[in-house]
Amino acid sequence: RREENPSREKKEMRNTKLKYLYGITLEDYNKMFNEQKGCCAICKKHQSTVSKTLNVDHCHSTKTVRGLLCWDCNIGISKFLDSKELLIAAAEYVS
């Protein structure tokens, strides 16, 4: 019986999940992560300062991947229904 490498198995599961949910590979995720220097694309918090891995942000209507976000920014975008107009209105409201 061949024993699986737990980290390899975990990477394969992550790769399968990313492909299924977003159409990207773990290599694509890692490339975005490196391009963003390990930081959220909105608030710029580094991965090491947040409790969860950076989320893949995508447009819900086109399924296009936009980048990686921390949990708070990802939830914020979703609460505004991916609406640029609502986000602009909110930014104007708080300023």
Side-chain angles (χ1 to χ4, degrees):
R1 182 177 114 174
R2 188 177 138 242
E3 289 188 28
E4 285 290 326
N5 178 343
S7 63
R8 180 178 174 207
E9 188 175 305
K10 188 175 180 179
K11 285 180 184 178
E12 288 173 1
M13 287 174 40
R14 176 84 168 133
N15 194 52
T16 299
K17 183 178 177 182
L18 288 168
K19 282 182 185 178
Y20 177 76
L21 293 174
Y22 309 109
I24 65 171
T25 63
L26 183 55
E27 187 176 323
D28 296 329
Y29 179 95
N30 290 334
K31 183 179 178 192
M32 282 188 287
F33 185 88
N34 290 331
E35 287 172 354
Q36 292 180 207
K37 297 179 176 36
C39 297
C40 172
I42 294 176
C43 72
K44 308 302 183 203
K45 286 181 188 169
H46 191 270
Q47 169 69 57
S48 63
T49 66
V50 296
S51 60
K52 297 183 179 188
T53 59
L54 295 178
N55 294 294
V56 177
D57 176 50
H58 66 288
C59 175
H60 290 98
S61 58
T62 67
K63 307 295 184 207
T64 303
V65 172
R66 294 184 282 228
L68 304 177
L69 301 178
C70 71
W71 175 259
D72 289 336
C73 290
N74 195 41
I75 291 299
I77 293 285
S78 70
K79 294 291 185 186
F80 284 98
L81 309 172
D82 289 348
S83 168
K84 184 177 180 178
E85 293 78 17
L86 285 176
L87 288 164
I88 290 169
E92 289 172 353
Y93 173 78
V94 298
S95 58

